[in-house]
Amino acid sequence: MPELPEVEIAARNLRAWARGRRIDRAEAEAQAKRIFRPGQPRAFVAALTGRRVGEVRRVGKHILVRLEDPAGGAEPLGLVSHLGMTGKWLRRSGVEAAPSHSRARLHLDDGSTLHYRDPRLFGRLRLVPGARFEDVPEVAGLGPDPLEEGIDVDRLAAALARRKIAVKVAMLDQALLPGVGNILASEALFRARIDPRRSASSLSRAEVKRLAGAVLASVAETIAREEGPEVSYVEEGASENPFLVYAREGERCPRCRREVIRRVVQGQRSTFFCPRCQG
Ligand SMILES: [Zn+2]
């Protein structure tokens, strides 16, 4: 499932592939209405065709694309892309076959086609009039992006101190640590040697500082490993698992080599940890 690192790579790819390019033609799969809500596929096609791709940014798990009118007459348009569980942007040359589950296509003026592929349809492509991203509630509610702005330890410590819920669950709040999802939360808590079941409010400032560093280290490591044209998302039970503890229930802990990794369910999501290292 895409979290901050994978979405960052997707944004970098989109920027490299499309920035400054004109969208000669857009296409949207008529059956994939869920992705295009509240606009419908037809509106998506009409709005994007003829636009020039401007700035591409990422905040949390959202990719924000600014689309200019090359003639200069119309106001800019925004596109917010959220990859959901299985969304990906792929680039194909004009002669290559479309990948399976291609829900939207942008045919660019260099002959390439960008495909938005999403087998499970949990992703979203939302048009934003005037590229006023601050008007989109799920974007406006995001805290400072950890990768773009770093993590302010005092701010994070103050926010965690107000919460009696488990620290792992608190970390998933996108107002706190946008882009951090289930995988990053488990990985960072393991790196920081903090029990995921502890109350968020019980963490010392030193522990919050360690946790902030661990989040950034996990992000950097995944970006370094995955950077390339196509990102592979790791699901639980996948054969190749690059993570320290995520989806490693029953395996020996990579740090202490004595205890085995345990799984607990918190807020309906799996958490993986070493009871010895994170005691
Ligand atoms: Zn251990």
Side-chain angles (χ1 to χ4, degrees), residues 190 253 255-257 259 274 276-277:
F190 175 75
C253 168
R255 182 190 285 122
C256 68
R257 309 238 172 238
E259 190 60 72
C274 171
R276 182 185 175 92
C277 296

Side-chain angles (χ1 to χ4, degrees), residues 5-217:
E6 294 82 8
V7 182
E8 172 65 16
I9 293 167
R12 289 180 187 180
N13 285 344
L14 272 182
R15 197 177 296 131
W17 295 336
R19 178 105 203 241
R21 294 274 164 220
R22 186 177 177 274
I23 301 169
D24 283 342
R25 195 162 55 90
E27 288 181 85
E29 190 184 79
Q31 293 79 31
K33 284 197 174 74
R34 189 160 78 172
I35 285 175
F36 301 97
R37 269 187 332 200
Q40 292 302 299
R42 196 175 297 181
F44 176 86
V45 168
L48 264 65
T49 297
R51 291 278 177 168
R52 191 174 297 284
V53 179
E55 192 184 23
V56 179
R57 290 190 296 137
R58 179 198 53 78
V59 185
K61 298 178 197 170
H62 300 262
I63 302 171
L64 315 179
V65 183
R66 194 180 158 94
L67 300 159
E68 310 286 354
D69 174 13
E75 67 172 357
L77 180 70
L79 176 68
V80 178
S81 168
H82 189 286
L83 303 176
M85 292 180 71
T86 54
K88 277 182 192 184
W89 283 95
L90 301 172
R91 183 180 192 257
R92 296 288 184 263
S93 75
V95 295
E96 284 178 289
S100 61
H101 309 292
S102 170
R103 309 301 186 184
R105 287 167 284 284
L106 307 179
H107 301 279
L108 304 181
D109 63 358
D110 64 351
S112 69
T113 300
L114 305 188
H115 294 267
Y116 176 67
R117 178 181 194 271
D118 193 348
R120 296 189 61 185
L121 295 167
F122 284 105
R124 293 287 179 269
L125 289 168
R126 176 201 274 262
L127 298 173
V128 184
R132 287 182 290 273
F133 296 113
E134 65 278 12
D135 292 348
V136 180
E138 61 264 34
V139 174
L142 297 172
D145 186 81
L147 189 61
E148 294 297 312
E149 304 182 53
I151 299 174
D152 182 330
V153 173
D154 290 323
R155 178 184 175 275
L156 181 59
L160 291 175
R162 288 193 297 270
R163 301 184 196 208
K164 306 288 183 209
I165 56 175
V167 58
K168 154 71 185 336
V169 178
M171 286 176 75
L172 302 181
D173 182 349
Q174 300 296 293
L176 223 57
L177 293 168
V180 171
N182 206 41
I183 298 174
L184 275 175
S186 271
E187 292 288 292
L189 285 162
F190 175 75
R191 283 175 190 266
R193 302 190 308 280
I194 294 168
D195 188 328
R197 299 165 296 181
R198 275 177 58 191
S199 166
S201 63
S202 75
L203 267 61
S204 70
R205 191 185 183 285
E207 287 173 321
V208 175
K209 190 175 178 196
R210 230 159 57 211
L211 186 59
V215 167
L216 296 176

